[in-house]
Amino acid sequence: MPDDGDIFGQIKQKLVDTKQKWAREGRLLTGEQAEPVKRKLPPGQREVKNWPVLDLGVQPVVVPKEWQLTVGGLVDNPITWDWRTLMDQPVFHDVSDMHCVTAWSRYENRWEGVSAKHLLSVVQPKPEAKFVILKSYDGYTTNVPLAAFDDDDVLLATQWEGKPLTRSHGGPVRLILPKLYLWKSAKWLRNIWFTDKDTPGFWEVRGYHNVGDPWKEQRYG
Ligand SMILES: Nc1nc2c(c(=O)[nH]1)N[C@H]1C(S)=C(S)[C@@H](COP(=O)(O)O)O[C@H]1N2
Ligand SMILES: [Mo]
């Protein structure tokens, strides 16, 4: 007990009592032990600090003024967006990791663009739509389950680390779908097609996995 009885002494004693009680109860203890390890990577991946460029050896020149995105197939409201219309959509920011099937991963990329959730709210896929086919200005295609496209961290990216997406990385607009290997994230995005019939894309018909979840190491198959 404090013997001076002043208000400051009493408040302090209350804090001490609380901390002592927490210590007796073992507050916040998990009962687990851990080594101070680096953040975990998906199997077989290594971290890089740079951002490698991978494509088919063709980097189409798509200037914002001429860029258009058409979204159609099994949707209630097919759309064609030009750059100005894209810029009128709500801005979405996110930070996420990239995992490339060639075994590099890059942590915490800061993205800006338009969220897939917003796009879906505009086009309204029909209940029969189960797959999304992405087509690009270089002729590249890739397919993803609608359930994977319809996720909080998926976006049509226009900026990376506060700067416009460069041509080599798929500018002016590319998909970013962080939970699947990066080959699913179509660069120079041109067309999004909703379908009830899955259609394997460029790499999927060449031996890459149809889904491509890095945590399950779905590289090939
Ligand atoms: N349009 C288009 N998108 C593409 C590709 C491509 O060749 N064309 N390559 C894919 C592959 S295999 C990878 S690993 C990533 C690479 O993206 P980056 O060059 O920005 O790292 O883009 C994917 N998206
Ligand atoms: Mo790739």
Side-chain angles (χ1 to χ4, degrees), residues 11-49:
I11 290 168
K12 245 172 85 178
Q13 189 56 40
K14 241 182 162 167
L15 286 171
V16 173
D17 289 344
T18 307
K19 294 266 164 81
Q20 275 188 327
K21 184 166 168 284
W22 286 352
R24 275 197 306 276
E25 293 168 353
R27 183 175 184 264
L28 300 179
L29 281 182
T30 64
E32 293 164 11
Q33 292 194 21
E35 295 299 316
V37 287
K38 245 178 61 178
R39 200 175 142 188
K40 202 166 158 47
L41 284 163
Q45 297 293 111
R46 65 189 158 76
E47 187 186 353
V48 298
K49 296 287 187 190

Side-chain angles (χ1 to χ4, degrees), residues 181-198:
Y181 282 121
L182 197 59
W183 86 75
K184 298 289 188 180
S185 293
K187 312 205 281 191
W188 312 291
L189 192 57
R190 175 179 210 163
N191 178 249
I192 303 178
W193 196 253
F194 292 81
T195 166
D196 56 356
K197 189 176 159 292
D198 201 6

Side-chain angles (χ1 to χ4, degrees), residues 67-191:
W67 176 85
Q68 283 202 328
L69 174 72
T70 57
V71 186
L74 294 172
V75 297
D76 284 339
N77 300 308
I79 54 161
T80 299
W81 280 353
D82 59 12
W83 182 256
R84 189 183 284 262
T85 317
L86 183 78
M87 291 297 114
D88 284 343
Q89 308 305 314
V91 179
F92 176 72
H93 294 100
D94 198 32
V95 174
S96 61
D97 303 339
M98 289 188 259
H99 306 293
C100 178
V101 72
T102 59
W104 58 264
S105 293
R106 193 179 189 285
Y107 287 147
E108 292 185 7
N109 300 277
R110 196 155 49 86
W111 300 109
E112 181 180 307
V114 172
S115 71
K117 291 274 187 196
H118 173 68
L119 179 84
L120 291 166
S121 77
V122 172
V123 300
Q124 297 283 329
K126 296 180 186 295
E128 313 89 85
K130 294 286 183 281
F131 304 97
V132 184
I133 314 299
L134 304 145
K135 293 185 187 166
S136 300
Y137 277 91
D138 60 345
Y140 187 80
T141 60
T142 188
N143 57 312
V144 295
L146 175 53
F149 184 86
D150 185 4
D151 204 343
D152 290 333
D153 54 4
V154 180
L155 76 153
L156 314 185
T158 55
Q159 301 219 355
W160 175 76
E161 299 297 336
K163 292 188 214 91
L165 202 59
T166 59
R167 174 180 164 207
S168 60
H169 285 300
V173 183
R174 78 175 297 167
L175 186 75
I176 287 295
L177 201 160
K179 290 196 182 78
L180 299 181
Y181 282 121
L182 197 59
W183 86 75
K184 298 289 188 180
S185 293
K187 312 205 281 191
W188 312 291
L189 192 57
R190 175 179 210 163
N191 178 249

Side-chain angles (χ1 to χ4, degrees), residues 54-67:
L54 292 109
D55 49 52
L56 304 175
V58 191
Q59 296 182 347
V61 182
V62 189
V63 294
K65 214 168 55 157
E66 287 159 15
W67 176 85

